Amino acid sequence: MSAAKTIAGDGEDVEPSVAQLETISFEALRSGNTAETAKLFDVCCRDGIFYLDMLGSEPNVLQTVEDIYELENKMFDLPEDELMLYDIDKLSLRKLNGFATLISLLRDGSRLSKDPRYKPIGRNHGELAGNKDGFQSYALPKDGIMKLGREADFKRPQVVDTYMPSLHRFARAISAAASAILLALSSNLMLQSNENLNNVHRTHLPSPDLVRLLKYHAQPPSESGSSHVPHTDLGSMTFLFTKQHGLQVIGSESQEWEYVQPRAGCATVNIGDSLSLLTNKLLRSCRHRVSALPGQAMNERYSFAYFLRAEDETLMRAVKSPLVSEGGRDEEEVFTSGEWMKMKYAMLRKDTWNQNDNWILTGA
Ligand SMILES: O=C(O)CCC(=O)C(=O)O
Ligand SMILES: [Fe+2]
């Protein structure tokens, strides 16, 4: 991420910095291009985020991506009462399925309980009025999309059924991209075949991967906080799609917030905590948030993401690589991927954080 250019504000003096992210070609990675593989590794160590040019992915993923935008528009157009039937806190102990909204919480100040699929706005800790966030979300479990394990018959609004073929194509395309990336990273890390990162991200087996649909609500300029607080993602990699501004990352050189420009035909991919834990921080879990451009109000905004996660039993300790330093946590302190997920979610739902919580929330 080199020196940032600027994008126009709203006739204001403020000129936000734009993150100069590298672009990685999926096609080049898949064909084993060594220059592209090396570039990917450098970018993941330095920035922890890049554009992945999805052109050439099979099947035509760009049409599929359009289908999912359509699904999320229809989903969030459903009446709130209906979405609340799929309250993520009630449907899924592990937040893998359901709807998670703000207004009810701001009114009565209560927390709706443990573990949402649909997340109503404001369920998580945030920076807006009442310390709540500014988005609704709906989680769709990969296992449900792929008909695997206990989620095969997951509860869902009828509109999802129409889009199941698209969701399936989407999950397959992202899995193929993830697999090419993990193979390239494993090869750069010089991992033995039994340590290959793909071994703990097997698409055909149950895993806590999910597709999350997100709708941010417009906020007045007076509410200048982030609609989605600074955080790192708990899993291995996130494949984000949006046509609108709002995502910001901490620049690896500037160490300041920079705006990520949406780019057509590309997913914005960021490394999450699991790959950082597995490489003793060599791969950078990218810190990010969602906020309006300076001097502007937050507009209504849609995005969706595929969250790739390590299988539950994966031990979160450094892989054996000449490039990865040993040490870090004591053997007794090693937790599994499943346990890490629980710790991180507990943190996101807390009302207040103390200093010791920061490493969990904003960078493992
Ligand atoms: O909506 C976005 O651009 C980012 C969403 C995000 O960071 C998340 O869901 O973890
Ligand atoms: Fe995130």
Side-chain angles (χ1 to χ4, degrees):
M1 233 181 282
S2 58
K5 285 197 237 139
T6 56
I7 49 178
D10 200 14
E12 306 259 334
D13 292 344
V14 207
E15 292 201 330
S17 304
V18 177
Q20 300 298 297
L21 304 186
E22 300 284 355
T23 302
I24 301 290
S25 152
F26 169 56
E27 191 66 66
L29 279 188
R30 189 168 51 176
S31 60
N33 180 311
T34 44
E36 199 73 350
T37 302
K39 179 174 160 192
L40 170 76
F41 187 64
D42 284 351
V43 165
C44 290
C45 294
R46 191 188 61 218
D47 302 336
I49 184 165
F50 57 91
Y51 294 118
L52 181 70
D53 187 337
M54 298 289 289
L55 283 175
S57 97
E58 308 261 350
N60 179 0
V61 75
L62 300 183
Q63 179 53 52
T64 306
V65 162
E66 288 306 315
D67 294 348
I68 312 235
Y69 280 122
E70 208 177 276
L71 164 63
E72 76 170 339
N73 271 282
K74 289 188 183 164
M75 177 73 97
F76 292 119
D77 276 352
L78 293 174
E80 176 111 353
D81 288 1
E82 190 175 337
L83 286 168
M84 287 309 290
L85 298 174
Y86 305 92
D87 182 344
I88 196 162
D89 281 330
K90 300 202 172 120
L91 281 191
S92 152
L93 278 177
R94 285 152 48 80
K95 292 185 197 293
L96 297 178
N97 182 21
F99 175 68
T101 213
L102 165 70
I103 292 134
S104 54
L105 282 178
L106 285 180
R107 268 195 219 121
D108 66 22
S110 69
R111 208 158 262 266
L112 285 164
S113 89
K114 297 167 205 117
D115 235 342
R117 295 179 194 213
Y118 168 76
K119 183 200 84 66
I121 287 187
R123 189 77 60 89
N124 286 353
H125 187 96
E127 294 184 343
L128 302 177
N131 278 347
K132 296 301 171 196
D133 59 41
F135 64 97
Q136 295 169 300
S137 68
Y138 199 104
L140 297 160
K142 163 225 156 191
D143 289 357
I145 295 168
M146 300 286 205
K147 305 225 178 311
L148 297 171
R150 278 180 299 169
E151 294 286 355
D153 233 355
F154 71 112
K155 194 175 170 198
R156 55 190 182 257
Q158 213 178 357
V159 62
V160 177
D161 285 352
T162 322
Y163 289 89
M164 280 300 265
S166 303
L167 286 164
H168 196 260
R169 279 198 299 279
F170 178 67
R172 289 189 64 83
I174 298 297
S175 298
S179 168
I181 293 171
L182 291 174
L183 185 64
L185 294 176
S186 302
S187 132
N188 270 274
L189 287 162
M190 292 178 263
L191 301 183
Q192 301 284 326
S193 57
N194 64 339
E195 290 253 56
N196 188 307
L197 295 168
N198 269 310
N199 297 353
V200 290
H201 298 90
R202 292 169 293 180
T203 315
H204 61 287
L205 293 185
S207 73
D209 292 9
L210 58 84
V211 176
R212 182 185 289 149
L213 312 176
L214 297 121
K215 177 182 179 182
Y216 294 81
H217 285 238
Q219 303 288 348
S222 54
E223 278 192 17
S224 58
S226 298
S227 295
H228 202 145
V229 290
H231 65 282
T232 52
D233 292 338
L234 66 88
S236 297
M237 266 187 283
T238 304
F239 294 75
L240 178 81
F241 296 84
T242 182
K243 297 177 180 175
Q244 292 166 277
H245 282 111
L247 179 67
Q248 300 181 7
V249 294
I250 293 282
S252 51
E253 275 177 24
S254 70
Q255 293 300 313
E256 287 179 1
W257 289 111
E258 296 175 359
Y259 287 83
V260 175
Q261 301 262 44
R263 181 168 299 182
C266 293
T268 306
V269 181
N270 67 269
I271 298 291
D273 298 339
S274 300
L275 288 185
S276 169
L277 289 163
L278 288 170
T279 58
N280 219 351
K281 298 196 177 177
L282 183 64
L283 299 176
R284 181 175 187 232
S285 184
C286 171
R287 194 170 164 194
H288 56 283
R289 69 179 185 185
V290 175
S291 266
L293 296 172
Q296 296 192 21
M298 183 74 191
N299 292 322
E300 185 173 277
R301 174 178 184 271
Y302 289 88
S303 63
F304 63 89
Y306 186 102
F307 291 84
L308 179 88
R309 290 156 168 184
E311 290 166 35
D312 280 339
E313 302 312 318
T314 311
L315 290 176
M316 296 284 99
R317 65 169 171 222
V319 288
K320 291 194 174 38
S321 157
L323 301 180
V324 171
S325 59
E326 288 179 21
R329 283 168 213 298
D330 292 341
E331 199 63 18
E332 309 86 74
E333 280 186 14
V334 173
F335 36 79
T336 63
S337 175
E339 286 163 349
W340 171 247
M341 265 182 73
K342 280 193 202 139
M343 283 158 73
K344 186 95 174 188
Y345 273 132
M347 201 53 61
L348 284 167
R349 291 300 176 90
K350 275 177 81 165
D351 280 324
T352 52
W353 295 311
N354 61 42
Q355 207 65 24
N356 290 339
D357 296 336
N358 281 346
W359 76 276
I360 296 184
L361 191 69
T362 56

